[in-house]
Amino acid sequence: MAVGTGRRRGKKSKVHFTKLYNFTCCRSSLKDEHSQIGQRGFSRSVHCNDPDNLEQLQLRYRDNYVSTTKYTALNFIPKSLFEQFRRVANIYFLVVACVSFSPLAPFGATSILAPLLVVIGATMAKEGVEDWRRRKQDIEANNRKVQVYGRNQTFEETRWKNLRVGDLVKVYKDEYFPADLFLVSSSYEDGICYVETSNLDGETNLKVKHALDVTASIHDESSFQNFKAVIKCEDPNDDLYAFVGTLCHGRQYPLSVQQILLRDSKLQNTDYIYGVVIFTGHDTKVMQNTTDPPSKRSKIERKMDKIIYILFSTLIMMSSVGSVFFGIETKNDIHDGKLTRWYLGPGNATVFYDPRRASLAAFFHFLTDLMLYQYLIPISLYVSIEVVKVLQTIFINQDQDMYFEETDKPARARTSNLNEELGQVDTILSDKTGTLTCNSMEFVKCSIAGIAYGRGLTEVERALAKKKGGGPPEVGDTSLDAEGSNAELVDTGRSIKGFNFQDERIMNGQWVKQTHSNVIQKFFRVLALCHTAIPDVNQETGEISYEAESPDEAAFVIAARELGFEFYERTQTSISLHELDRESGKSVDRSYKLLHVLEFSSARKRMSVIVRNPENQLLLLCKGADSEEEFMSWEEEFLKAQTSVTADRDALVDAVADKIERDLILLGATAVEDKLQKGVPECIEKLANAGIRIWVLTGDKMETAINIGYACSLLRQGMKQIVITLDSPAVNDMENKGDKEAIAKASISSITKQIKEGLSELSSAKESSVSFALIIDGKSLAFALDKNLENSFLELAMKCASVICCRSTPKQKALVTRLVKKGKNRTTLAIGDGANDVGMLQEADIGVGISGVEGMQAVMSSDVAIAQFRFLERLLLVHGHWCYRRISMMICYFFYKNITFGFTLFWFEAYASFSGKPAYNDWYMSLYNVFFTSLPVIALGVFDQDVSARFCLKYPLLYQEGVQNILFSWQHILGWMFNGFMCSMIIFFLATNCIKEQSFRKDGKVVDYEILGVLMYTCVVWTVNCQMALSINYFTWMQHFFIWGSIALWYLFLVIYGTISPILSTTAYRVLVETCAQSPFYWMASLLIVVSALLPYFSYKAFQIRFHPMYHEIIQRRRLEGLET
Amino acid sequence: MKAPIYIYYQLDNYYQNHRRYVKSRSDKQLRYGLQYNDTSSCIPEESNDGLPIVPCGLISWSLFNDTYSFFRGTDELRINRKNIAWKSDRDHKFGKHVFPFNFQNGTLIGGAMLDPNVPLSDQEDLIVWMRTAALPSFRKLYGKIEEDLEANDVISIYFLNNYNTYSFGGRKKLVLSTASWLGGRNNFLGMAYIAIGSCLIVLALVFILLHVKNPRPYGDAMYVSWNWKGIPN
């Protein structure tokens, strides 16, 4: 049987929905807080309908202009620059650029500045574009129109941004409130209105607000002329669920959040309202609530920082070597008072070359070298990664296979930081309701006066039956099997959302013939009365739908409606039903006076209403968990609790509520089912096959959780279950006695024992291939998460394939997430849909929100939002895997190409007496990272895929490449670096040995500095680009275009650069056209050097694929050999 | 030896690629002459007695000044010293109306003197010298012998040993060489081609042998390389 009724409500505890949504409770004001008005924190005063009041103007409250942009036109440049230079690599490049204006620089300042400017400019442009989009939204919002009561006693249209504190505005149905308003009156006589707050907290149900009685009657435009009042209230703050203030209108009236309409919520089911602007612009609660999402960085990026530090150390080491040798050589320029290398003019050298101050010269030279070897640090790495990740997110967002048509929701990667982390997930922590299930409750069965009604089969029943290998079991006394009932459902042609109940005994008014019809009547009355839903009558068809706090509540009201107890109207003080009369069998209208609502709280796990029925009987109707008293005395106590201030209030209210919910008569029980989402069992199986551990953290009780576990194939046949629970007779006994300390002690020892047993069971079963599942309940979890026990608990849990934590609270969910993340340093992914999952989502390395029915809170705090759980499979196994590969290859390649280039400079240095002369023309060097090698690597980062999506899904084990991080292990990274080092050696030494001193052309010309530079540079460009071609797996015309295009660009650049004036092009003047291109030697040497430089990697790769293939290589091979189609 | 026979002088352990040396020139002055008077880059050979030097800088100041004459028997061989520099240098880097000025007038005389009446674009020795070498051992074209030298010809060469290489332990060589389509003689390129080619052949053979001896389907999913510990099935 599916979910109990209470469970789902636990989610609301975080939202404090109840405070926003009270029918009667909050009408009594909170006197204690009101005494603070006028003091610190409660100093705001608003002159209603009088914004031009002198006092009001003096207060200088903010205008209603809202800007959510990160930058303004003025501070964009300094602020975004500051952001850029928080990266250590960028600071280094900035310092280099500054120093490059001094004579220390080995090359011209512009050629250093140019790439830095390109890189910084690109990043700034990206920031700018993003900010511009925000700005456009702002402009749209600021220029929306609203009706304001003006000087000539009429309502005039004005823009939102022109609103001032104290303005009286009129807002129509389906419009958003332009600022935080005080509700004066509405189109309804009693001054209520309905609002939808989905922009604030994601809840789509309607909430009631009501005006004070004193203002509710002010309706017509002329009477506003005389409406002058002063509101004194709290200062701007971010609490959406509280408001403290008083209205001075003749006398003082306390205000609560019931009279406040928040900006960005929407007026519904009400034709119009009048309101006074209290908070404007950034003072509004919604704006006060905007915080930046927590910024998470992927493990790969954190590791990348370490590599950057390694490169910095290498840079410093190389510079030190260079400066020491330079110092020695410079010192020897004057030997025994005689000039040795006289042609360098050491006799009258500046301080940078002075042999008499060789150590000082060496120091300066160290700085020069720091600049010269800057090419070791890939300047464009960060910006390239950012660009690539943004493009990757576009692919994720536009994936047709992750688009959910029903709700028109595609996947949405809310941050691009974590793409590659999606390919490394080791443990998934999943919520259950709304994540694994649809969170659309269906009323399936009920039991009234001990008789079970309802003949439908639940999904879990069906799944369990299937697992056991038999057909669907015969259930009770029904003759209908599952298919039969389905067929019947279809036949009726009218499937009602939330209602899957089949029983001819009580449907269609047949219940009156049952023996316990009086109990049945009461039972459905409870369902129809005891709730907080709001009816929404469709004017045309007369059909009634309900806006309920939770889907199970809706299911009950719908069930009551279908069985003849139609709830159709709610006022502040009454609930009205169309009811089937037991005697006459006709539909009659009955109205119940609503005296009190005892809100649902997760501690009590039930709710009640106290009503007076038309027969003037006082009834307490309770729904949820497991009588009339002296109502008056209780009410007094209850009110006292309600009006008390501070944190204890909830507890007090609970306690008093408990007092009255006693001596009740049990009418019956209900069963609602929450259906599994489509594809969940298959998806979980795939993910499990990919070696991903799946933990389900649910609030269900253990039996339910285990059943669900089977239904979604989290628990499989043949799995051994280790159950840790405190639900033993001994503990229960102690609990009854109530000695807290003894309970804790006994609990700890019991859990320690159970964990130990579990571990020994695991170790004894090591040889066999049995896999284990751990099931632990919330109480035990509380102890298991204790400092002393958490390690052994984690050890046990990590050895189990599946873990189910039942009865867990939101806080425990977050704690478990942290335990896994910190304890084993594994990548965790949390997935959930409700407000109670927020903590878990933020705690995990990656938070995935399900954009389902439960509002946007989870999505707002998630990193990726998907519409259905089953999309997780594609998100991880395909996109995650690809992104991981792409990013890690990209970073490795970046380091490779820069090391290849940087070290050729170092070798040349060694042959130029470490004087700091670069081997290449300034502009060759500065364009290296920007032009000749950047685009192919971006194409790699965006498009490369080892195997197609189909194979990713077919071979889920492939995912382990990411989990075990084999593509970004130190071994792998250092391998790439070593490859770069080798390439630089091969290029430099082959090139210098090939050209030696001899002539390289038929006309006897010899190779000089310019030609060696061009030859080496040609080889570097060819080598790194061909290396790219060798290492990528996926060629489209795009890859060909970028790779070969980059090489062609180099020649093109040489031609163009070579034709401009020799004053500018210096050593590159006509160097290709006149000197190199005509020399066969140049071309042959290039070919030889490039082939040789690629040979080590090529042969390594050939051997590796032959003898030690990686998983993706095996799959590629299978596809190639036609083993896979 | 068939004409043209190229005459090179070779210097060893001479750092023409030293940063200080390379920087010490003024491209603008070489092209525009005295009109262009910012010669700060030429330090320390930018001026003398308050007057600018043309061509300024260490490179031109240290111009190689050994001279050679060649005799076959008693006949002096004609050495063509024209067209030894790159055409683009002559036409675009060194001015046709720029004449040496105040050159080698300092207390320290570096290398060769220049004829103040010949424009820089025609001073091919200078142009060749100023195209700095890449490595510390280098050859530079001195001239061409435009007649064939027969076997058993005895060539006498008269050196004028002006250029000081003793102070830094450098060596001077004189090289006569012809050039094929691949340039002058250096076996390295050919050897390297053969070596790399052999490498590839050996690799290919190894793979063929391996495949013949031990053929196995590549796509066998059993050969998964990483270890599986810690992964529950």
Side-chain angles (χ1 to χ4, degrees):
Chain A
M1 204 65 73
V3 194
T5 61
R7 206 214 60 69
R8 262 278 298 101
R9 310 291 204 67
K11 303 193 160 210
K12 298 297 169 189
S13 58
K14 180 138 187 166
V15 184
H16 294 301
F17 168 81
T18 53
K19 291 185 200 157
L20 227 157
Y21 182 63
N22 257 344
F23 289 92
T24 48
C25 302
C26 279
R27 301 205 76 183
S28 56
S29 57
L30 311 173
K31 302 236 162 42
D32 295 356
E33 282 187 1
H34 284 276
S35 64
Q36 292 175 296
I37 284 172
Q39 294 170 10
R40 223 177 120 92
F42 299 87
S43 63
R44 199 175 179 92
S45 72
V46 178
H47 294 258
C48 301
N49 201 13
D50 196 8
D52 295 317
N53 186 302
L54 218 57
E55 274 177 56
Q56 185 78 73
L57 291 176
Q58 269 172 357
L59 288 167
R60 292 174 182 274
Y61 289 131
R62 274 192 247 201
D63 60 11
N64 201 32
Y65 182 85
V66 164
S67 162
T68 56
T69 54
K70 209 166 155 189
Y71 310 102
T72 64
L74 277 179
N75 75 7
F76 176 70
I77 290 184
K79 196 171 170 188
S80 61
L81 278 181
F82 175 75
E83 292 284 319
Q84 298 268 317
F85 289 115
R86 293 208 314 208
R87 277 181 177 149
V88 64
N90 282 352
I91 291 203
Y92 163 74
F93 285 112
L94 180 69
V95 171
V96 164
C98 292
V99 183
S100 67
F101 288 99
S102 78
L104 280 173
F107 26 62
T110 40
S111 59
I112 297 183
L113 271 176
L116 184 67
L117 288 180
V118 168
V119 166
I120 300 275
T123 319
M124 275 171 70
K126 179 183 151 262
E127 292 273 299
V129 167
E130 280 176 1
D131 217 43
W132 178 250
R133 283 199 202 124
R134 282 191 283 264
R135 192 175 160 72
K136 273 210 311 222
Q137 286 175 357
D138 287 350
I139 289 174
E140 195 267 323
N142 284 323
N143 287 317
R144 279 188 213 156
K145 303 275 173 52
V146 66
Q147 299 271 335
V148 174
Y149 192 68
R151 288 215 180 95
N152 43 1
Q153 281 85 52
T154 51
F155 279 92
E156 296 159 355
E157 205 160 71
T158 186
R159 293 178 194 281
W160 278 26
K161 62 180 175 189
N162 298 328
L163 277 187
R164 289 172 302 170
V165 171
D167 269 333
L168 184 77
V169 296
K170 184 178 186 180
V171 179
Y172 290 94
K173 192 175 178 177
D174 292 335
E175 282 184 350
Y176 289 98
F177 300 119
D180 287 356
L181 305 178
F182 159 69
L183 175 61
V184 175
S185 60
S186 76
S187 56
Y188 292 111
E189 281 297 312
D190 52 359
I192 62 164
C193 71
Y194 297 94
V195 297
E196 190 209 274
T197 55
S198 61
N199 278 358
L200 276 75
D201 55 15
E203 312 227 352
T204 49
N205 56 333
L206 297 183
K207 280 144 206 167
V208 186
K209 300 276 181 174
H210 36 78
L212 294 178
D213 294 338
V214 63
T215 60
S217 56
I218 310 177
H219 270 293
D220 57 304
E221 302 200 348
S222 53
S223 61
F224 283 122
Q225 204 179 331
N226 303 320
F227 174 65
K228 294 270 147 65
V230 177
I231 294 170
K232 302 236 180 242
C233 66
E234 60 185 13
D235 289 343
N237 62 58
D238 62 354
D239 192 345
L240 292 174
Y241 308 105
F243 178 80
V244 178
T246 51
L247 174 77
C248 306
H249 185 60
R251 68 183 192 89
Q252 297 210 340
Y253 301 91
L255 299 179
S256 74
V257 75
Q258 281 303 297
Q259 285 82 43
I260 303 304
L261 307 169
L262 299 177
R263 183 188 168 115
D264 277 358
S265 50
K266 196 178 188 180
L267 184 66
Q268 291 212 319
N269 290 11
T270 313
D271 291 334
Y272 58 86
I273 60 104
Y274 298 105
V276 172
V277 176
I278 303 178
F279 296 119
T280 44
H282 288 273
D283 290 340
T284 56
K285 302 230 175 206
V286 63
M287 295 307 291
Q288 297 269 322
N289 255 301
T290 44
T291 46
D292 293 332
S295 90
K296 296 177 182 175
R297 295 192 72 203
S298 71
K299 285 202 172 107
I300 288 199
E301 272 196 48
R302 272 174 274 163
K303 198 166 184 178
M304 187 174 85
D305 286 347
K306 283 188 201 146
I307 305 173
I308 297 263
Y309 289 125
I310 292 182
L311 286 182
F312 267 121
S313 323
T314 318
L315 171 70
I316 287 170
M317 217 173 64
M318 282 162 68
S319 303
S320 313
V321 170
S323 70
V324 166
F325 277 100
F326 177 77
I328 295 170
E329 301 241 358
T330 306
K331 201 172 173 63
N332 290 342
D333 278 347
I334 294 184
H335 194 67
D336 294 337
K338 279 187 212 147
L339 307 180
T340 50
R341 292 192 294 183
W342 56 270
Y343 55 91
L344 297 177
N348 46 1
T350 55
V351 63
F352 305 118
Y353 304 99
D354 194 344
R356 283 165 291 232
R357 287 180 285 171
S359 41
L360 193 61
F363 171 73
F364 282 122
H365 190 78
F366 177 74
L367 301 178
T368 305
D369 273 353
L370 281 186
M371 278 185 261
L372 178 63
Y373 302 137
Q374 62 168 296
Y375 291 97
L376 276 185
I377 318 287
I379 185 172
S380 51
L381 177 59
Y382 286 107
V383 66
S384 306
I385 287 184
E386 266 170 37
V387 168
V388 160
K389 283 186 172 178
V390 168
L391 294 173
Q392 285 177 345
T393 9
I394 293 177
F395 277 118
I396 293 178
N397 292 348
Q398 301 201 333
D399 192 331
Q400 290 286 322
D401 293 333
M402 294 202 293
Y403 170 72
F404 191 49
E405 220 166 320
E406 260 173 58
T407 54
D408 185 28
K409 280 200 173 117
R412 201 153 71 87
R414 287 168 34 83
T415 164
S416 57
N417 283 348
L418 297 171
N419 295 347
E420 69 274 19
E421 198 94 332
L422 288 172
Q424 295 186 280
V425 173
D426 179 79
T427 309
I428 294 176
L429 300 120
S430 172
D431 173 42
K432 199 211 76 191
T433 311
T435 305
L436 299 177
T437 63
C438 304
N439 198 13
S440 62
M441 299 292 171
E442 286 191 335
F443 186 85
V444 190
K445 298 184 187 207
C446 61
S447 157
I448 307 166
I451 300 169
Y453 296 100
R455 302 192 192 279
L457 264 184
T458 65
E459 197 168 304
V460 175
E461 280 173 339
R462 248 170 264 153
L464 281 176
K466 215 180 269 175
K467 292 271 169 200
K468 282 178 186 138
E474 301 283 318
V475 179
D477 55 348
T478 79
S479 52
L480 293 163
D481 66 2
E483 275 161 34
S485 72
N486 272 348
E488 198 182 48
L489 254 186
V490 176
D491 285 343
T492 57
R494 188 171 92 96
S495 88
I496 299 141
K497 192 166 177 282
F499 188 70
N500 182 20
F501 184 82
Q502 291 294 320
D503 202 317
E504 70 291 342
R505 286 173 296 177
I506 56 172
M507 287 181 83
N508 302 322
Q510 296 298 311
W511 60 268
V512 292
K513 294 175 189 151
Q514 292 285 309
T515 42
H516 302 288
S517 61
N518 62 330
V519 185
I520 297 177
Q521 182 187 37
K522 280 182 187 143
F523 178 79
F524 287 113
R525 270 184 193 157
V526 172
L527 294 189
L529 292 171
C530 183
H531 55 76
T532 54
I534 300 166
D536 185 8
V537 183
N538 187 321
Q539 300 293 346
E540 284 158 28
T541 59
E543 274 177 26
I544 301 175
S545 58
Y546 301 104
E547 297 279 352
E549 188 184 340
S550 66
D552 43 1
E553 189 171 78
F556 291 139
V557 188
I558 289 167
R561 181 187 72 195
E562 294 305 313
L563 291 162
F565 296 80
E566 186 173 48
F567 159 57
Y568 70 94
E569 189 187 53
R570 175 190 287 280
T571 66
Q572 273 177 254
T573 54
S574 71
I575 295 177
S576 308
L577 309 180
H578 298 299
E579 215 173 272
L580 201 64
D581 191 68
R582 196 150 60 97
E583 270 89 49
S584 64
K586 282 181 190 151
S587 186
V588 291
D589 289 1
R590 276 167 72 96
S591 187
Y592 295 80
K593 193 155 186 275
L594 185 65
L595 299 175
H596 262 293
V597 179
L598 306 187
E599 294 284 342
F600 178 85
S601 88
S602 45
R604 296 188 303 130
K605 294 196 169 68
R606 61 179 176 266
M607 79 166 287
S608 306
V609 290
I610 300 168
V611 296
R612 193 184 291 279
N613 67 10
E615 288 80 34
N616 213 12
Q617 286 171 303
L618 213 52
L619 300 172
L620 179 124
L621 308 175
C622 179
K623 181 182 79 177
D626 324 314
S627 354
E628 278 159 275
E629 255 183 57
E630 206 48 42
F631 176 69
M632 294 305 285
S633 70
W634 172 83
E635 186 185 36
E636 201 175 303
E637 202 175 338
F638 182 67
L639 281 180
K640 211 155 103 201
Q642 286 258 309
T643 49
S644 65
V645 199
T646 70
D648 294 343
R649 183 178 160 236
D650 287 349
L652 270 173
V653 172
D654 280 0
V656 182
D658 274 350
K659 255 191 181 168
I660 199 161
E661 289 167 338
R662 277 175 196 197
D663 304 329
L664 303 171
I665 305 160
L666 177 68
L667 295 173
T670 58
V672 290
E673 181 188 20
D674 189 1
K675 281 221 160 110
L676 277 182
Q677 282 180 15
K678 202 181 141 204
V680 166
E682 294 81 6
C683 174
I684 288 189
E685 203 157 351
K686 264 281 163 55
L687 294 175
N689 285 341
I692 304 174
R693 259 175 274 269
I694 299 168
W695 295 31
V696 172
L697 312 174
T698 167
D700 290 339
K701 59 183 198 215
M702 190 169 280
E703 292 73 24
T704 318
I706 291 177
N707 279 343
I708 293 279
Y710 275 113
C712 59
S713 75
L714 193 62
L715 301 175
R716 287 173 288 273
Q717 220 63 44
M719 255 188 175
K720 265 198 148 170
Q721 292 177 13
I722 300 172
V723 180
I724 297 181
T725 175
L726 279 178
D727 196 18
S728 66
V731 178
N732 284 347
D733 264 3
M734 255 190 274
E735 246 164 54
N736 291 337
K737 281 177 206 152
D739 183 353
K740 278 190 180 164
E741 238 170 73
I743 296 171
K745 224 172 176 184
S747 306
I748 289 180
S749 68
S750 154
I751 289 166
T752 319
K753 201 174 125 228
Q754 289 183 45
I755 291 179
K756 251 189 207 142
E757 282 170 4
L759 280 171
S760 66
E761 202 175 329
L762 271 171
S763 56
S764 64
K766 224 171 207 172
E767 302 304 310
S768 65
S769 61
V770 186
S771 61
F772 284 82
L774 177 71
I775 297 139
I776 183 164
D777 69 2
K779 256 191 258 166
S780 322
L781 196 58
F783 293 106
L785 291 175
D786 188 76
K787 278 254 154 26
N788 304 320
L789 272 178
E790 64 176 19
N791 283 334
S792 51
F793 167 64
L794 186 62
E795 194 186 339
L796 176 65
M798 290 312 255
K799 283 182 181 158
C800 293
S802 315
V803 177
I804 298 177
C805 304
C806 10
R807 290 268 184 236
S808 48
T809 62
K811 194 172 172 210
Q812 280 181 334
K813 290 184 182 185
L815 283 176
V816 169
T817 311
R818 183 182 305 169
L819 179 68
V820 180
K821 193 173 90 174
K822 294 270 156 61
K824 290 281 173 185
N825 200 20
R826 302 281 176 84
T827 309
T828 52
L829 178 144
I831 178 165
D833 73 318
N836 61 338
D837 303 316
V838 167
M840 176 169 87
L841 296 187
Q842 289 181 339
E843 186 62 53
D845 293 303
I846 311 163
V848 177
I850 301 270
S851 42
V853 285
E854 199 157 334
M856 301 296 283
Q857 278 224 326
V859 170
M860 288 308 193
S861 54
S862 69
D863 304 302
V864 189
I866 52 179
Q868 291 271 293
F869 183 83
R870 64 171 191 274
F871 297 150
L872 196 61
E873 177 185 344
R874 193 172 170 87
L875 184 68
L876 296 187
L877 299 189
V878 179
H879 289 285
H881 176 69
W882 281 347
C883 288
Y884 164 73
R885 278 194 67 85
R886 290 166 181 169
I887 294 287
S888 45
M889 267 184 76
M890 190 176 155
I891 296 173
C892 287
Y893 177 80
F894 250 103
F895 291 126
Y896 158 81
K897 81 179 172 68
N898 278 64
I899 285 177
T900 303
F901 186 64
F903 267 92
T904 56
L905 287 169
F906 183 73
W907 306 130
F908 182 78
E909 270 286 80
Y911 281 77
S913 91
F914 289 100
S915 60
K917 180 71 194 162
Y920 314 108
N921 182 293
D922 296 0
W923 286 99
Y924 304 170
M925 292 194 288
S926 36
L927 297 182
Y928 180 76
N929 280 321
V930 184
F931 276 172
F932 306 130
T933 57
S934 62
L935 289 178
V937 72
I938 288 180
L940 164 97
V942 180
F943 298 110
D944 194 46
Q945 38 184 271
D946 47 354
V947 294
S948 65
R950 201 163 53 84
F951 286 101
C952 284
L953 293 172
K954 189 170 176 187
Y955 296 98
L957 217 49
L958 188 58
Y959 190 75
Q960 282 295 321
E961 287 194 348
V963 178
Q964 312 215 343
N965 203 5
I966 51 171
L967 293 177
F968 208 63
S969 58
W970 280 112
Q971 204 185 349
H972 200 79
I973 297 164
L974 293 176
W976 270 101
M977 289 183 159
F978 180 70
N979 186 22
F981 181 77
M982 289 275 287
C983 284
S984 77
M985 294 242 287
I986 292 171
I987 290 170
F988 179 80
F989 289 102
L990 277 188
T992 48
N993 277 300
C994 281
I995 62 178
K996 276 283 186 216
E997 302 94 358
Q998 89 281 9
S999 67
F1000 76 115
R1001 281 159 58 114
K1002 189 140 177 51
D1003 62 3
K1005 299 280 199 307
V1006 291
V1007 169
D1008 50 42
Y1009 166 79
E1010 311 174 8
I1011 293 154
L1012 179 71
V1014 171
L1015 175 64
M1016 275 165 59
Y1017 199 91
T1018 307
C1019 295
V1020 170
V1021 169
W1022 269 96
T1023 305
V1024 298
N1025 280 307
C1026 290
Q1027 175 73 59
M1028 166 66 71
L1030 276 183
S1031 38
I1032 60 176
N1033 298 292
Y1034 187 62
F1035 266 103
T1036 62
W1037 65 268
M1038 203 113 53
Q1039 272 77 13
H1040 285 293
F1041 178 74
F1042 284 134
I1043 291 175
W1044 313 124
S1046 292
I1047 296 173
L1049 187 67
W1050 155 242
Y1051 289 113
L1052 189 70
F1053 164 79
L1054 261 190
V1055 172
I1056 294 169
Y1057 186 42
T1059 48
I1060 62 174
S1061 155
I1063 302 294
L1064 295 172
S1065 59
T1066 60
T1067 57
Y1069 186 64
R1070 295 200 178 169
V1071 76
L1072 185 69
V1073 180
E1074 186 189 21
T1075 48
C1076 294
Q1078 297 174 18
S1079 157
F1081 176 88
Y1082 165 76
W1083 299 106
M1084 292 196 64
S1086 307
L1087 176 66
L1088 172 83
I1089 295 167
V1090 171
V1091 168
S1092 321
L1094 292 171
L1095 194 60
Y1097 174 84
F1098 183 78
S1099 28
Y1100 162 77
K1101 197 71 196 166
F1103 274 98
Q1104 184 248 312
I1105 288 182
R1106 180 72 173 73
F1107 296 109
H1108 207 66
M1110 288 197 253
Y1111 199 65
H1112 70 270
E1113 286 158 352
I1114 296 173
I1115 298 169
Q1116 286 170 347
R1117 187 77 204 180
R1118 283 175 79 88
R1119 196 192 52 200
L1120 206 68
E1121 289 175 351
L1123 293 171
E1124 297 287 344
T1125 45
Chain B
M1 288 169 101
K2 294 269 186 243
I5 297 156
Y6 300 104
I7 304 165
Y8 303 95
Y9 54 89
Q10 176 169 344
L11 292 173
D12 289 344
N13 198 23
Y14 189 102
Y15 287 91
Q16 244 199 338
N17 58 7
H18 195 283
R19 185 157 71 100
R20 179 168 199 219
Y21 188 81
V22 177
K23 268 169 68 177
S24 187
R25 65 189 281 163
S26 166
D27 285 336
K28 285 188 182 168
Q29 194 207 46
L30 292 174
R31 192 162 175 202
Y32 304 115
L34 280 168
Q35 295 166 22
Y36 185 80
N37 49 20
D38 177 18
T39 52
S40 56
S41 65
C42 289
I43 280 177
E45 294 297 326
E46 80 279 21
S47 64
N48 189 27
D49 293 338
L51 290 171
I53 299 171
V54 182
C56 69
L58 281 173
I59 311 180
S60 48
W61 175 73
S62 60
L63 176 60
F64 188 73
N65 59 354
D66 283 7
T67 55
Y68 312 107
S69 31
F70 291 75
F71 293 89
R72 177 157 53 184
T74 53
D75 308 339
E76 179 164 5
L77 285 171
R78 230 181 64 77
I79 300 172
N80 181 1
R81 304 201 56 200
K82 286 285 154 201
N83 288 332
I84 54 174
W86 294 102
K87 191 169 180 305
S88 64
D89 281 4
R90 276 181 280 144
D91 294 351
H92 301 284
K93 286 191 185 165
F94 292 80
K96 287 190 173 56
H97 308 290
V98 181
F99 295 91
F101 175 77
N102 196 18
F103 189 69
Q104 301 286 27
N105 277 350
T107 42
L108 264 177
I109 294 185
M113 310 290 279
L114 290 174
D115 183 347
N117 299 317
V118 179
L120 291 187
S121 60
D122 289 342
Q123 307 260 14
E124 293 206 31
D125 279 340
L126 178 75
I127 297 174
V128 167
W129 180 254
M130 289 199 72
R131 188 105 170 187
T132 51
L135 298 168
S137 289
F138 59 89
R139 284 177 203 167
K140 291 211 176 271
L141 199 52
Y142 180 81
K144 290 177 274 190
I145 299 172
E146 283 172 328
E147 47 197 294
D148 294 352
L149 297 182
E150 306 300 330
N152 300 328
D153 275 358
V154 176
I155 310 287
S156 354
I157 303 166
Y158 292 87
F159 294 85
L160 217 53
N161 186 9
N162 294 325
Y163 206 69
N164 176 10
T165 55
Y166 303 112
S167 67
F168 55 87
R171 276 177 300 173
K172 289 191 273 196
K173 290 174 188 160
L174 179 72
V175 180
L176 295 187
S177 165
T178 55
S180 68
W181 61 280
L182 265 181
R185 175 171 177 159
N186 180 1
N187 293 337
F188 187 84
L189 186 65
M191 306 274 273
Y193 258 100
I194 292 168
I196 298 290
S198 325
C199 257
L200 292 173
I201 289 170
V202 168
L203 279 176
L205 285 175
V206 167
F207 273 103
I208 288 169
L209 279 176
L210 281 171
H211 191 73
V212 169
K213 198 175 160 226
N214 180 22
R216 69 167 165 84
Y218 285 96
D220 192 335
M222 277 175 64
Y223 295 88
V224 179
S225 58
W226 61 82
N227 63 38
W228 289 104
K229 71 176 170 224
I231 298 169
N233 308 312

